[in-house]
Amino acid sequence: LKFGFSSDVLGVRWGAMAPAESASCGATLRGGALHGRRLGGACGARMVQWTSLDTRRRWVLLGCLAILVPLTGAVDKSKFRTCQQGSFCRRYREYVQKVEASRGSEFAHEVDPSSVQLSGHALVAKIRQVHDASVKPLALQLRFFKDAVKGHCGITRLLVNEEAPLHPRFQLREGDVVVKEQDLHPDAVTMQSLGGGETKLVSSAPGDCEVVLRHRPFE
């Protein structure tokens, strides 16, 4: 008989055997194989006992798996909302499908050029819904900061939010994930109007940083 167990494993499995009883088995372990006289008496009975236990454990494990597998598919879908039941999801899924079907000729949002205002290191503007004038515009904020190490440009924070939300939207808490703005150095930018409905913002700090805001579509 050959077993794929080490002597330590067999020692644990047969730990209840007395030294004399273990010696009576007349077996030695060599290279993971069990050689010696035929296992009889207490040794053979103990082997049958452990084999029977292992078999029962396997059947118990298979029974548990057979019970748990069907439960994974027994989910009550009525407890979860679908996209069609949510007005926000349903409305914007229609917009996305329309934009994707147009292959670039259609878009959903644009920047209102008359709303673009710059004050120091911060730009504000309004983003309009192109296909539905009844949708309230979104508020766009762009804020620019310098690198705290060398004073170079390169830090820009963009925030798009509803102008007057029914419920306040979640925003990252400063100091938790993002650095507090009071610990950053503002980077004053200049604004230039480009042809084709674009606005360019140029940093005053070293580093030659600039941001181009496209109005239609909003990019």
Side-chain angles (χ1 to χ4, degrees):
L1 296 175
K2 293 186 178 180
F3 298 87
F5 302 115
S6 66
S7 59
D8 292 337
V9 174
L10 288 176
V12 173
R13 290 180 177 274
W14 294 7
M17 299 180 68
E21 184 182 4
S22 178
S24 66
C25 291
T28 58
L29 289 170
R30 295 175 183 172
L34 187 65
H35 303 275
R37 298 194 300 267
R38 289 186 178 182
L39 298 178
C43 185
R46 190 62 56 87
M47 177 59 70
V48 172
Q49 178 184 358
W50 280 111
T51 303
S52 178
L53 285 174
D54 288 343
T55 302
R56 287 199 296 270
R57 288 169 183 166
R58 292 191 185 97
W59 281 112
V60 171
L61 178 60
L62 290 175
C64 293
L65 291 176
I67 295 173
L68 292 176
V69 169
L71 294 179
T72 59
V75 178
D76 188 358
K77 296 182 179 180
S78 64
K79 296 182 179 180
F80 299 90
R81 295 184 64 185
T82 64
C83 184
Q84 291 299 320
Q85 293 173 326
S87 60
F88 176 87
C89 180
R90 184 176 63 253
R91 184 170 64 250
Y92 278 91
R93 175 172 286 184
E94 294 175 356
Y95 294 147
V96 169
Q97 292 174 347
K98 185 174 183 179
V99 170
E100 291 178 346
S102 68
R103 297 184 179 181
S105 62
E106 291 283 348
F107 49 89
H109 298 92
E110 66 177 359
V111 176
D112 181 2
S114 62
S115 67
V116 179
Q117 299 179 7
L118 177 65
S119 176
H121 73 291
L123 177 141
V124 295
K126 293 182 180 181
I127 302 176
R128 297 183 298 202
Q129 171 54 244
V130 176
H131 303 293
D132 192 350
S134 64
V135 177
K136 295 180 180 180
L138 301 174
L140 168 67
Q141 296 182 29
L142 276 172
R143 298 191 294 274
F144 302 85
F145 301 93
K146 300 177 184 178
D147 179 5
V149 178
K150 296 184 178 180
H152 289 182
C153 61
I155 300 177
T156 304
R157 288 188 173 177
L158 181 148
L159 176 65
V160 178
N161 201 355
E162 295 173 296
E163 279 196 323
L166 295 176
H167 305 283
R169 300 298 183 181
F170 170 79
Q171 293 188 25
L172 290 175
R173 184 175 58 184
E174 291 189 353
D176 187 5
V177 178
V178 297
V179 180
K180 295 181 179 180
E181 289 197 3
Q182 64 185 19
D183 297 333
L184 298 174
H185 304 287
D187 179 10
V189 296
T190 58
M191 184 171 63
Q192 303 175 10
S193 295
L194 304 178
E198 294 180 342
T199 299
K200 183 167 72 172
L201 303 163
V202 182
S203 169
S204 60
D208 299 327
C209 299
E210 62 181 32
V211 172
V212 176
L213 175 64
R214 181 175 295 178
H215 298 174
R216 186 180 176 92
F218 164 57
E219 293 179 344

